[in-house]
């Protein structure tokens, strides 16, 4: 069966809202399911995700693939993810251009990679393997970062573009992450946007950050900030009115508030071309 | 491979504070933050994710010990037992055991028992519901088959035996129960046996009488109908009907249990 099309501005599915969504079936263009929270086969969580997917177009968004890691992929992770995908039929599956596990430990956090030619080769081969395992093209997201490695000599946008081209994958541009990293590493976010190959981008993320004084922290705990809305407008002008998703993971607001934030993104779609 | 070395060093710093300086050697110093402070942001972030998760798993323990004690204990737990699997829902099972070794809790081991109850609730949410048996089929079995019958509790069932009133303590910390017991009025010396199980999207948690407890334990240990008849004699019909009525028994099998060693082996 062909998945429903993903159009317009959606929201991330959060446990707090599931009962309300299933009871009221509010008009939501699409929902992003955080795959890692629904990977236990037969769990009540997975049961809910499957029901939501009966009524809404969905995508699966993960944090646990650890695409940039050096240890072998976790077979069980891929089996469970594939089985979840078979049941919710996502339009696409995304994860991050980062690593999460090493040395037998799993950080459950998104850790940045050194931006070198050698890393590109490594990650490209890993993304290809992941795409083969899942039998589909992946969508890869840029992470926000708080450090740069000594050995990095490429810019993040050069690294991301090269990986996407060579692995033949799609990109999820997190506009907030670009802004956060640009502030933290003192680069021009517009230059970043202008360097990404247009045809590779499939989706945008928007979220709120927290200003820690010395750095911006990607907390997903508040509304999207004004400068990020500004950068988003530029992204729309360059890449087109692509599907956009509001991420909110801490201090989760009511469903109505979250949908209002998604509505702001829809309005930006209209005004970006006015 | 340098990437391997870099990742080993970084992840070690996330779970061992004394490795921060070592990991910082891979990192540029920029602006007002040193490279060590930059690695520290990741250590805080990884710990923060796991702390939030443990708080969501153990909300009653969190209220009982307070945010500060819980945070300190959780951070040292995370450092000593970092996650080893990419499934976050599997993490934190050892937290009760970790609490039980804490010197400050030696006179309050009932808190550890509440932690075990909270983990059991989490585990029940994450267990598959097996298909329920059609109990009308029991009548069609021969007497021999009936003697060999074995019953199953819901796959999600967790039988907990505690030296303290874990169910009452847990209830006292639930906002949504209007008739909840007052914590100050609970006798912390009272032992309680508790059953937790999931039925579709509902979690049940109930105290059991000693008889029901013994019966459900026997059932869970795969006693046959003949074993149960011997152990519970004329109480059996009553115990059985309560268990059926409460949906504590979910399915049955007539084939011998392969996992149980036979008496002669
Ligand atoms: Fe994102």
């Amino acid at each position: 069966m062909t998945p429903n099309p993903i159009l317009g501005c959606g929201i991330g599915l959060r446990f707090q809202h599931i009962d309300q969504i299933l009871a009221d079936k509010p008009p939501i263009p699409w929902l992003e399911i955080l795959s890692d929270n629904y990977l236990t086969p037969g769990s009540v969580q997975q049961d809910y995700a499957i029901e939501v997917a009966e009524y809404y177009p969905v995508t699966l968004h993960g944090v646990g693939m650890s695409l940039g890691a050096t240890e072998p992929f976790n077979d069980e992770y891929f089996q469970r993810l594939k089985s979840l995908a078979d049941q919710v039929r996502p339009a696409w599956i995304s994860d991050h251009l980062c690593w999460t596990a090493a040395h037998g430990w799993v950080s459950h956090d998104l850790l940045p990679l050194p931006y070198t030619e050698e890393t590109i080769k490594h990650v490209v081969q890993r993304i290809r393997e992941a795409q083969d395992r899942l039998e589909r093209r992946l969508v890869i997201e840029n992470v926000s970062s708080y450090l740069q490695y000594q050995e990095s000599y490429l810019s993040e946008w050069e690294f991301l573009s090269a990986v996407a081209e060579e692995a033949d994958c799609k990109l999820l541009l997190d506009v907030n992450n670009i802004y956060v990293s640009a502030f933290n590493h003192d680069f021009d976010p517009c230059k970043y946007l202008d360097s990404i190959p247009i045809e590779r981008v499939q989706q945008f993320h928007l979220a709120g950050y927290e200003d820690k004084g010395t750095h911006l922290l990607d907390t997903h705990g508040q509304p999207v900030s004004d400068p990020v809305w500004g950068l988003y407008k530029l992204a729309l002008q360059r890449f087109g009115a692509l599907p956009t998703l509001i991420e909110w993971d801490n201090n989760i607001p009511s469903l109505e508030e979250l949908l209002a934030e998604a509505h702001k993104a829809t309005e930006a779609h209209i005004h970006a071309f006015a | 491979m340098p990437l391997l070395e870099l990742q080993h060093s970084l992840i070690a710093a996330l779970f061992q504070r004394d490795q921060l300086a070592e990991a910082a050697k891979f990192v540029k110093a920029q602006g007002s933050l040193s490279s060590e402070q930059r690695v520290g942001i990741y250590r805080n972030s990884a710990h923060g994710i796991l702390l939030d998760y443990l708080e969501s798993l153990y909300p009653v323990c969190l209220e009982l010990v307070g945010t500060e004690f819980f945070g300190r204990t959780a951070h040292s737990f995370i450092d000593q037992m970092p996650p080893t699997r990419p499934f976050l829902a599997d993490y934190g099972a050892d937290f009760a055991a970790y609490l039980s070794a804490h010197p400050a809790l030696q006179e309050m081991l009932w808190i550890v028992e509440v932690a075990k109850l909270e983990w059991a609730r989490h585990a029940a949410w994450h267990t598959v519901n097996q298909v329920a048996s059609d109990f009308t089929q029991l009548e069609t079995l021969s007497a021999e088959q009936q003697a060999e019958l074995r019953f199953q509790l819901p796959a999600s069932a967790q039988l907990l035996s505690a030296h303290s009133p874990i169910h009452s303590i847990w209830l006292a910390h639930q906002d949504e129960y209007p008739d909840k017991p007052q914590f100050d009025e609970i006798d912390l010396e009272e032992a309680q046996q508790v059953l937790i199980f999931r039925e579709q999207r509902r979690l049940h948690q109930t105290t059991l009488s000693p008889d029901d407890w013994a019966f459900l334990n026997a059932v869970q240990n795969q006693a046959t109908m003949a074993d149960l008849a011997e152990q519970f004699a004329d109480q059996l019909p009553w115990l059985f009907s309560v268990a059926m009525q409460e949906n504590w028994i979910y399915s049955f099998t007539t084939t011998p249990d392969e996992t149980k060693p036979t008496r002669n082996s």
Side-chain angles (χ1 to χ4, degrees), chain A residues 141 174 177 205 247:
Chain A
E141 175 177 354
D174 187 314
N177 288 352
H205 263 174
E247 295 184 289

Side-chain angles (χ1 to χ4, degrees), chain B residues 5 55 74 77 88 90 102 136 161 176 181 197 212 215 225:
Chain B
E5 221 178 288
E55 286 183 348
F77 170 74
L88 191 55
D90 292 353
H102 200 293
T136 61
S161 180
E176 67 266 35
F197 69 103
D212 287 331
F215 174 67
M225 189 61 135

Side-chain angles (χ1 to χ4, degrees), chain A residues 40 42 44-45 47-48 51 68 70 74 76 99 103 105-106 108-109 111-112 145-146 148-151 185, chain B residues 3-4 6-8 11 25-28 30 38 42 45-46 49 83-86 125-126 128 198 201:
Chain A
T40 312
V44 73
Q45 288 80 356
D47 189 43
Y48 271 117
E51 189 179 339
T70 41
N74 184 300
E76 194 184 346
W99 60 284
H103 209 40
W105 286 339
V106 180
H108 293 283
D109 200 359
L111 307 166
S145 68
Y146 313 104
Q148 287 181 320
Y149 296 106
Q150 297 281 8
E151 61 177 290
H185 307 310
Chain B
L3 186 58
L4 181 101
L6 177 151
Q7 293 183 342
H8 279 188
I11 204 144
K25 291 179 184 162
F26 291 91
V27 173
K28 286 178 189 166
Q30 300 163 244
R38 291 191 176 272
Y42 281 96
S45 160
I49 289 166
T84 54
R85 281 163 62 72
W125 281 123
H126 282 84
V128 66
R198 173 161 81 93
R201 291 173 180 176

